[in-house]
Amino acid sequence: EHHLKHRRQILSQTGSPVDIALVQLNARLEGLWVYGANGGMGDFCILASEKDSLGDSTLLMVDRNRKEAARLCGPTDSGWIPPPYGFPALLSGRLHPAEAEDGGGVIWLRLKASNHLAILWRKSASAKPRRYEAFHMPGEELRHRVFNYLVV
């Protein structure tokens, strides 16, 4: 994000109308994350599912305090849920079990730094989203996920 912000500043200074870039983001998302003041509100884990026939695995988010789980999807996935305006999410997921009658909750994740996530969590379709900051707990080095974006 910082690199793209810098590119936007250069565009505004030079007066160029458009810039196109291929951005590759390497992120270590798997593991234990804590959220709230000093991790006091709770924790969740991001896990890789078993590999499919193509050798890929899906990321799953499990929140043991709220007793919810979600399959995390990127913008090119058919399960992607667009985030509210102003929150450029990396991943989204529909929360299960769906307690609300209006389709259940949704979570959006945005990577702020290598060990820092911004989370937007909406309990139900009619509820206002709440924002949290989460921090990755030290532990085993797991594989990096690669996300590719074409930015215009």
Side-chain angles (χ1 to χ4, degrees):
E1 270 188 56
H2 298 291
H3 180 70
L4 294 176
K5 188 175 185 179
H6 178 70
R7 286 180 73 108
R8 275 195 313 269
Q9 288 173 346
I10 291 172
L11 276 177
S12 65
Q13 292 170 358
T14 62
S16 300
V18 71
D19 183 28
I20 299 173
L22 178 61
V23 177
Q24 187 174 66
L25 174 67
N26 292 302
R28 193 186 89 190
L29 297 173
E30 295 173 44
L32 180 65
W33 294 81
V34 296
Y35 60 93
N38 298 318
M41 289 189 73
D43 56 59
F44 62 90
C45 195
I46 296 180
L47 310 163
S49 67
E50 292 185 20
K51 292 185 178 181
D52 61 18
S53 60
L54 299 174
D56 293 331
S57 60
T58 302
L59 289 176
L60 305 171
M61 187 280 307
V62 179
D63 186 328
R64 66 187 177 103
N65 297 340
R66 291 186 171 133
K67 296 177 177 46
E68 295 177 320
R71 177 181 165 267
L72 299 175
C73 304
T76 59
D77 193 302
S78 62
W80 170 253
I81 303 160
Y85 179 78
F87 190 85
L90 177 65
L91 298 167
S92 71
R94 179 134 342 253
L95 295 167
H96 299 280
E99 294 178 7
E101 293 178 12
D102 58 3
V106 177
I107 190 167
W108 293 276
L109 305 176
R110 175 179 164 211
L111 188 67
K112 293 184 79 172
S114 63
N115 65 344
H116 185 185
L117 286 175
I119 302 167
L120 205 56
W121 177 73
R122 188 178 68 199
K123 186 175 182 175
S124 67
S126 59
K128 182 179 177 185
R130 299 170 110 184
R131 187 177 174 140
Y132 300 100
E133 302 293 317
F135 298 91
H136 196 269
M137 296 300 294
E140 180 183 354
E141 285 291 322
L142 300 172
R143 76 180 190 134
H144 285 79
R145 296 284 172 151
V146 178
F147 300 91
N148 294 308
Y149 294 94
L150 181 63
V151 180
V152 180

